[in-house]
Amino acid sequence: MRFSRPPNGFLPFRGALDAFVRSGHTIRGRIFLAFVMLSTITALLGGYAAFGIMTTGALVDKTYDRSLMSINYARAAAADLASLQATVARARLAGEEEERQRLEKRIEALTQSFEEDLEIAVDRAQSDRAAREAAAAKDAVSHWLAARREFGPDRQTLDVWQALDAHAAVAEQHIDLFINFTAGDGFSYKQTARAVVARDVWLSIAATLIAILLSGIVALLLSRQIVRPVADASTVASRIAAGELDVTVPEGGDDEFGVLLRAMARMRDNIAAMMREEVSQRRSAQGLLADAVQGSTEAIVVVDAAGRIVLANERAAAALGFKATEAGRHHLAEATGSAVADSLLAMPGTGVATAETRSADGRWLRISRSPTRDGGFVAVCTDVSLLKEQEDQLKRGNSQLDAALSNMLQGLCLYDAEGGLLVSNRRFADMLGIDAASLRPGMSLRDIAGLVEAASGDDGRAFNLLMEQQALLQRGSSGSLCCPIRTDCIVSVRQQPTAEGGWIATYEDVTLRYEAEARIITMARRDTLTGLANRMVFGERLEEASAHLGEGVGFATLCLDLDRFKEVNDTLGHPVGDNLLRSVADRLQGCLRDTDLVARLGGDEFAIVQSGPQVRADAIVLAKRLIAAFQSPFVLDGHIVTVGLSIGISLAPEHGTSPEKLLKSADLALYRAKANGRGGWCFFDEEMDLELRKRRALESDLKQAVRNDEFELVFQPIVKLDRQRIACCEALLRWRHPVRGYVSPAEFVPLAEETGLIGEIGEWVLHRACAEAATWPSGIGVAVNVSPAQFKNAAVVRAVKAALAASGLPSNRLELEITESVLLTDNMATLATLHTLKRIGVRVAMDDFGTGFSSLSYLQSFPFDKIKIDQSFVRNLELTGNARLIVRSVIGLGRSLGITTTAEGIETEAQLEQLRLEGCEEGQGYLFSRPVPSARIRELVATLGRNAA
C-alpha cells in the first residue's frame, strides 16, 4: 500500500513525516509511530506547563514571604508600640512600688517584642527606604525610652509629658512610613508578578495551539494511510452483504488490508454457490407449503425478514385487504389499518408471540407468531369470538362471586352432596384462625376441623364448634349454634341444606354485639369514672332498704362531699382530679362492710347505704372511720394531694321512710357539716329543714330585689397617705329589704353567686358606680369589686364598656378589685380578660393580698396596678411583730414591682403612723371615714383637705 500525496500546505513537513510513517510496513507499526509522535508533543507541552506552574508558585511564595509578611510584622510592631505607650503611661501614674516594678518588666518585654517584630519586617522588606524608616523608628523608640528614664518616675509636669509624647509621635510617624513603603513595594512587586504570569499564560496558549496543530497533522497523515483502504474494504463487504455477488474486489498489498480483501473475494464466491443451491430447495418447499396453507381453515401468512409477504392464503389475504393472487407482491406494512397487520407490527421482538385483537366487524381474533430461520415469521389467525364471549361471561360470574364472598361480613362454606368443600371465603378462614390457602376443594368438615385443631393448639373451642356442626349433619337436621371460639371472639353459626343435596354454613362474629350489650348493662348501673354504683343503683338500694323497714331493720343514709376538691381541679387540672376521684372511691370501698353500698351521685358527691340493727352507733363508727381514712394524703402523678371529707347522716325510720326524704335530709346534714368547718360529720335534725326553707325564702327575696331595685351603693374613701387626699372610693353594695331591713352582704352575696344572680347585680353595681363617680371631682376614681362569676365568657368586659359609655367616665378612673379566687376559676381565660381590661385603660387591683396560697405567683402572670393589704395584717400591726414584717415585705414587693400598695382596715393613728414609716402609699379604714352615700364625697374631700393642712 502506498501513501497518498498530502496537500500543498504540508509540503515543509512532507519529507520528515513520510520517512517517519514509512518506518513501519504494517498498520500496527504505523499506529505505533503516530503514538510516539503524539506522546512526544504531549510531553513537551506538559513540561512547559509544569515549568510555568513552578514559576507562578515561586512568585506567589515570594509575594507572601516578603511583602505580606513584612506588612504583618510592621503592623505587629505598631501594635507593640501602642501597648508600650499605654504601659509607660500607667507606670508613670502608678502609686505603689510593686505595681510600678511589674509595669517596668512589662515595658522591657514589649520593647523586646517591638524590636523583634521590626527586625523581621525589615528582613522581609524589599526596598532600602523601608529599611531606613524602620531603623529611624527603632532609634526614635530608643530616644523615647531614654528620655523617660532621664525624667524619672516622679516628674509629672505638663512639659515632661509633652516631651515624651513628642518622642513617641516621631516613632509612630516612622512606623507609619515604614508600613506605607512596605505596602507600596508589595504593590509594585505584585504588578511585576502579574506581568510575568500574563506572559506565561500567553506563551502556554501559543504552545498549546502549536501542539494541537502538530497533533492534527499527524492524525491527518495517519488517516490517509488507513482510512482509504478501510473504506474500500467496507464498500465491498456492504455490497456482498446486500446480495451483490458480482462485485469486483480490488487487489490488495502485502499488509493486513490485502489479506482481508483476498478473503472477501473467496467469501463472495462461496456465498454465490450456496445461494444457488438454497434457491432451488426453497422453490420446492414453497410449492408444498402453498398447497397446505391454501387448504387451511385459518388465516395463515408468511413474512420474510424484510417484511415482504411471501405467502398468504385466501383468508389471510382477505384479512389484510389484498387479493389472494396479489398478496405476495406487498409488504406487511402496506396493510396498516387492518387488525391483523396492526397486531403483527405491534408485537415486540422476533420470537414467538401471541396477541388478541378485535376486527372492524366486531370479531375477536387470536394471532400467533412463530419465527422462521431466515428472520421472518409465520402468523396464524384464528376466529375466537365465541370462545371469547364464553370466557367473558365466566369471568364476570366469577368476579361477581369473588367480590360477594370477599366482602361478606360473615364466613361462608358450601359443601356438595358428598360433603366435599366447594366454596369458602377468607372471612371464614380468618375467623377460625387458619390459612385461607390451606382450604382446598373437596375437603370434608372433619378435614377442616383438623386444620383448626392444629392452628388453635390447646384452645379447642373452635374445633368443638365444628364437631357440633358435624353432629347436626349426622342427625340430618339444620340449625343454629352460638358459642365462643376464642377469648375475644363469639361466633353464631347457621347451617342449612341446599337444593343440590349439599349444605351451606354461615359464620357471624357477634362478639361486639355481646360486648355492647354487656357494656350497656354495666353503664346503666355503674359510674363510668370510678366504677362505683351510680345514682340509679343507689336509689334501688334505698327502695329495697325502705321495703324491709317493717322487719325491724333500720338503715342509715350518708351523703359525702370532698373538701377542697375544686382547688385540686383548678390548680392541678381535671386529669389529676379524675385520678383523685378514682382513689377516693377505692378508699371509701376499703372502709365499708360487704353489706354496705357506696355510690357516686355526681362530681365529688358520694352516698352510702348502711344497714344493721344498731343504726346510729354503726353510722357514727363508719363516719369516724371515713374521716380518719382521709387524714392521709393522696399521691397522684407525682403530686401530694390532701382533701377532707364532710358527711351528713340521716336515719331510717327516725328521719323518714321514703328514699327521697332520707336523701334530702342527709344532704341538709352535709350542708350543716360543711358550714361547721368541714372535715366532720353531722346528723340531720328538724332545724336544718327550717334553715333550708329560710334560705329558699331569702333566695326568692333576692330575685325580687333585683327586679324591685332594692339595692343601693355607699362609698368608702381610699386616701393618699403622704398628703391625706382622696385618690379613690370603693363602692360597697347594700340591700335594704322592705321587711327584713338591711341584709348583710356576707349573707346575700354568696347566695347570689350560687344562684347566678351575681352577674346581673354586678352589672348594676358597675353602671351605678360609674354614674356616681362621673359627678365627683376629676381626680377621684371609683373601685368596684368583681365576682369570679362575672369573668365567665368575658361578661365583665362587656359590662365595663357599657358602664363607661353610659356614664362618660374616663376609663382610667375606674378600678376593678379582684381576689385570688377569680384567677383560680380559669387561669388562662381570666388572664386574657384582665389584659383586655388593661387595654381599655381600666386599673386592676388584687384585693385581700397575702391571704391566699399563690398570690405571689399571680403577680408574675399579670401586671396589677395595685395590691391591697388585707385588714387582718393591719389590725395586728400593734400586737405582733410578724404582722409588721409581712406588711413591710408586701410594701417592699409593691415598690420593687412598681405597684401601688393600699392598706385596708386602718382604725388608729398608731396604725397609720406605722404604715407611713413602712412606705405604704394608700390607706382605707374607719380612721378616715365610714362608707357614705355618693352625695357626701365632696364634703369628705374638703374635710380631709383641712385635716391634712
Side-chain angles (χ1 to χ4, degrees):
M1 181 183 297
R2 299 181 61 84
F3 294 127
S4 59
R5 183 182 181 87
N8 292 334
F10 298 106
L11 287 177
F13 307 99
R14 178 178 179 180
L17 290 178
D18 282 349
F20 186 65
V21 173
R22 286 171 183 169
S23 61
H25 296 286
T26 64
I27 295 176
R28 285 178 292 180
R30 295 167 188 169
I31 293 174
F32 175 73
L33 292 175
F35 169 74
V36 171
M37 296 173 66
L38 292 175
S39 297
T40 303
I41 295 171
T42 304
L44 293 173
L45 180 61
Y48 180 77
F51 174 76
I53 292 172
M54 292 172 60
T55 303
T56 304
L59 290 173
V60 171
D61 290 343
K62 191 173 181 180
T63 300
Y64 174 78
D65 186 58
R66 298 190 63 84
S67 299
L68 297 182
M69 288 297 291
S70 179
I71 293 172
N72 288 339
Y73 276 99
R75 289 177 176 168
D80 291 340
L81 180 59
S83 299
L84 190 59
Q85 287 179 288
T87 307
V88 168
R90 290 175 58 193
R92 293 190 62 81
L93 295 176
E96 297 180 359
E97 183 62 27
E98 183 180 354
E99 176 69 12
R100 185 177 299 172
Q101 290 178 359
R102 187 184 65 81
L103 293 173
E104 286 296 335
K105 292 180 181 180
R106 172 68 175 163
I107 291 170
E108 291 176 4
L110 289 174
T111 303
Q112 184 179 357
S113 176
F114 168 76
E115 292 175 354
E116 290 175 354
D117 291 339
L118 198 60
E119 286 177 3
I120 296 173
V122 171
D123 183 59
R124 284 166 170 70
Q126 302 182 51
S127 64
D128 294 336
R129 60 177 184 173
R132 288 194 299 270
E133 289 300 331
K138 184 174 181 182
D139 292 340
V141 170
S142 299
H143 293 322
W144 172 48
L145 294 176
R148 183 184 74 86
R149 289 191 294 271
E150 179 181 350
F151 289 134
D154 298 327
R155 294 183 60 186
Q156 304 292 337
T157 59
L158 179 61
D159 55 345
V160 171
W161 283 100
Q162 290 177 348
L164 291 176
D165 290 344
H167 284 290
V170 171
E172 291 176 354
Q173 180 179 6
H174 287 298
I175 288 293
D176 292 339
L177 289 174
F178 174 71
I179 294 173
N180 293 334
F181 289 158
T182 305
D185 294 340
F187 179 77
S188 300
Y189 190 80
K190 183 187 74 170
Q191 295 298 107
T192 304
R194 291 183 63 179
V196 173
V197 171
R199 181 198 64 194
D200 288 345
V201 168
W202 283 110
L203 290 177
S204 297
I205 293 173
T208 302
L209 293 176
I210 293 172
I212 293 172
L213 180 61
L214 292 176
S215 300
I217 294 172
V218 173
L220 179 61
L221 293 177
L222 184 62
S223 65
R224 291 179 66 85
Q225 298 299 321
I226 297 177
V227 172
R228 182 174 294 175
V230 172
D232 293 341
S234 298
T235 302
V236 172
S238 298
R239 293 178 67 181
I240 293 174
E244 298 182 22
L245 300 179
D246 56 348
V247 62
T248 301
V249 178
E251 296 182 0
D254 297 333
D255 57 7
E256 291 90 338
F257 287 116
V259 175
L260 176 62
L261 291 173
R262 287 190 290 274
M264 291 176 67
R266 289 193 298 272
M267 181 181 66
R268 176 198 61 188
D269 297 338
N270 293 335
I271 291 174
M274 288 188 293
M275 287 190 63
R276 286 192 294 270
E277 183 179 357
E278 184 178 355
V279 168
S280 175
Q281 294 176 355
R282 184 177 295 180
R283 287 175 179 172
S284 175
Q286 284 180 347
L288 296 174
L289 179 63
D291 294 339
V293 168
Q294 291 297 335
S296 176
T297 58
E298 297 177 331
I300 301 175
V301 60
V302 180
V303 181
D304 63 12
R308 290 192 300 268
I309 299 175
V310 178
L311 179 64
N313 62 5
E314 292 184 1
R315 292 179 180 274
L320 294 172
F322 300 133
K323 294 181 179 179
T325 56
E326 300 177 353
R329 288 181 261 168
H330 297 279
H331 280 71
L332 182 62
E334 297 178 23
T336 302
S338 67
V340 176
D342 291 344
S343 296
L344 289 172
L345 293 172
M347 287 182 180
T350 58
V352 177
T354 302
E356 291 184 355
T357 186
R358 201 163 190 173
S359 62
D361 57 3
R363 293 179 299 123
W364 279 99
L365 304 176
R366 178 174 295 162
I367 303 170
S368 301
R369 184 190 71 181
S370 301
T372 59
R373 289 179 298 174
D374 61 355
F377 60 84
V378 177
V380 179
C381 181
T382 306
D383 188 348
V384 293
S385 299
L386 181 59
L387 180 62
K388 194 72 174 178
E389 183 177 355
Q390 293 173 349
E391 288 180 354
D392 289 343
Q393 292 176 354
L394 183 59
K395 286 181 180 178
R396 283 194 298 271
N398 290 338
S399 176
Q400 293 170 357
L401 179 59
D402 290 342
L405 292 176
S406 299
N407 290 282
M408 284 181 63
L409 296 177
Q410 297 85 14
L412 178 140
C413 286
L414 177 63
Y415 296 84
D416 58 20
E418 287 73 28
L421 179 66
L422 293 176
V423 176
S424 66
N425 63 357
R426 178 174 292 277
R427 179 61 177 156
F428 168 74
D430 294 341
M431 197 176 295
L432 294 181
I434 59 177
D435 186 5
S438 63
L439 296 176
R440 297 181 302 277
M443 296 181 70
S444 66
L445 182 61
R446 187 67 184 82
D447 297 333
I448 298 175
L451 295 176
V452 172
E453 184 179 19
S456 59
D458 296 336
D459 191 351
R461 287 177 288 185
F463 174 79
N464 294 336
L465 173 64
L466 296 180
M467 289 298 96
E468 291 184 26
Q469 287 185 251
Q470 185 71 33
L472 280 176
L473 288 175
Q474 292 174 353
R475 292 195 298 270
S477 61
S478 60
S480 299
L481 300 170
C482 185
C483 63
I485 61 173
R486 289 190 306 276
T487 305
D488 59 345
C489 183
I490 302 173
V491 173
S492 174
V493 182
R494 181 174 179 81
Q495 186 171 299
Q496 57 187 10
T498 63
E500 292 79 12
W503 58 281
I504 186 171
T506 57
Y507 302 78
E508 182 181 3
D509 187 349
V510 295
T511 307
L512 296 179
R513 185 191 309 166
Y514 275 79
E515 290 179 352
E517 292 175 356
R519 281 197 302 270
I520 290 172
I521 294 173
T522 301
M523 291 171 61
R525 303 184 62 81
R526 291 289 172 184
D527 176 59
T528 56
L529 178 62
T530 62
L532 298 178
N534 60 9
R535 184 181 289 272
M536 181 183 72
V537 176
F538 185 75
E540 292 176 357
R541 177 61 69 88
L542 282 180
E543 293 282 356
E544 180 183 349
S546 299
H548 290 83
L549 284 174
E551 301 174 4
V553 179
F555 65 92
T557 303
L558 291 80
C559 283
L560 294 77
D561 187 79
L562 299 180
D563 300 331
R564 297 183 300 278
F565 175 73
K566 186 176 184 301
E567 295 178 7
V568 175
N569 262 347
D570 293 337
T571 57
L572 300 180
H574 290 283
V576 177
D578 292 343
N579 290 338
L580 175 61
L581 290 175
R582 285 189 282 267
S583 299
V584 166
D586 294 339
R587 194 168 289 189
L588 291 176
Q589 288 274 34
C591 296
L592 301 183
R593 302 171 303 188
D594 293 338
T595 57
D596 300 335
L597 173 71
V598 59
R600 181 180 177 223
L601 304 184
D604 60 337
E605 299 177 5
F606 298 84
I608 296 175
V609 177
Q610 183 189 41
S611 302
Q614 305 267 337
V615 180
R616 179 177 287 271
D618 290 345
I620 293 174
V621 172
L622 177 58
K624 291 180 178 179
R625 185 163 59 245
L626 291 172
I627 295 297
F630 279 77
Q631 298 301 316
S632 302
F634 294 86
V635 180
L636 305 170
D637 300 334
H639 302 284
I640 298 177
V641 178
T642 302
V643 293
L645 192 67
S646 297
I647 305 173
I649 308 172
S650 64
L651 305 176
E654 180 179 343
H655 298 142
T657 57
S658 69
E660 295 80 6
K661 178 68 168 64
L662 292 169
L663 188 60
K664 174 186 172 184
S665 299
D667 192 51
L668 289 174
L670 172 63
Y671 186 80
R672 171 65 63 83
K674 294 178 76 70
N676 290 340
R678 306 180 181 231
W681 52 274
C682 182
F683 281 101
F684 171 77
D685 60 38
E686 295 300 331
E687 293 182 1
M688 296 178 184
D689 194 23
L690 179 60
E691 289 180 2
L692 178 62
R693 287 195 295 271
K694 289 181 178 179
R695 176 182 171 84
R696 289 179 177 172
L698 182 62
E699 180 180 337
S700 176
D701 290 347
L702 185 60
K703 292 179 181 178
Q704 293 292 334
V706 175
R707 290 191 290 268
N708 297 338
D709 195 19
E710 297 176 3
F711 294 108
E712 62 184 34
L713 289 182
V714 292
F715 300 89
Q716 187 174 26
I718 299 174
V719 178
K720 287 284 187 181
L721 298 185
D722 56 348
R723 289 175 289 175
Q724 204 157 324
R725 178 181 59 82
I726 296 179
C728 184
C729 292
E730 181 179 359
L732 302 173
L733 182 63
R734 296 292 184 264
W735 179 18
R736 187 180 63 257
H737 191 274
V739 177
R740 301 173 187 266
Y742 278 101
V743 182
S744 171
E747 185 177 355
F748 72 82
V749 169
L751 183 61
E753 291 179 341
E754 291 179 16
T755 58
L757 293 173
I758 193 65
E760 186 177 353
I761 296 173
E763 290 189 19
W764 180 88
V765 171
L766 273 170
H767 281 76
R768 178 62 62 88
C770 290
E772 295 290 348
T775 64
W776 301 342
S778 59
I780 301 177
V782 63
V784 179
N785 289 279
V786 182
S787 169
Q790 294 177 261
F791 276 81
K792 294 180 180 179
N793 303 320
V796 69
V797 177
R798 295 191 298 270
V800 167
K801 288 181 178 180
L804 292 174
S807 63
L809 183 72
S811 59
N812 61 351
R813 290 179 60 188
L814 176 60
E815 184 176 290
L816 300 181
E817 294 187 3
I818 66 171
T819 59
E820 184 179 299
S821 58
V822 172
L823 293 166
L824 284 173
T825 304
D826 187 350
N827 201 310
M828 298 304 295
T830 301
L831 287 176
T833 301
L834 289 173
H835 281 288
T836 302
L837 293 170
K838 287 279 287 185
R839 286 194 295 272
I840 295 173
V842 175
R843 294 168 55 83
V844 181
M846 178 179 280
D847 199 6
D848 301 335
F849 184 81
T851 59
F853 63 89
S854 57
S855 299
L856 292 176
S857 65
Y858 295 127
L859 294 182
Q860 294 180 335
S861 58
F862 181 76
F864 286 92
D865 298 290
K866 180 187 293 186
I867 51 179
K868 300 187 74 175
I869 304 172
D870 188 68
Q871 59 183 347
S872 61
F873 301 116
V874 176
R875 188 181 305 116
N876 294 324
L877 272 177
E878 303 173 68
L879 302 177
T880 65
N882 290 337
R884 189 178 303 112
L885 291 175
I886 293 173
V887 170
R888 182 180 303 161
S889 300
V890 173
I891 294 172
L893 177 65
R895 186 184 304 111
S896 62
L897 295 177
I899 300 175
T900 302
T901 53
T902 301
E904 296 181 303
I906 303 174
E907 297 181 356
T908 66
E909 291 289 345
Q911 293 172 350
L912 175 61
E913 186 61 28
Q914 184 65 41
L915 289 169
R916 281 175 174 169
L917 290 175
E918 298 294 345
C920 185
E921 300 175 63
E922 294 181 352
Q924 179 182 6
Y926 288 170
L927 180 63
F928 304 112
S929 173
R930 290 180 177 272
V932 297
S934 174
R936 292 193 55 193
I937 296 300
R938 290 183 178 274
E939 179 183 342
L940 283 176
V941 171
T943 302
L944 289 173
R946 287 194 300 271
N947 294 339

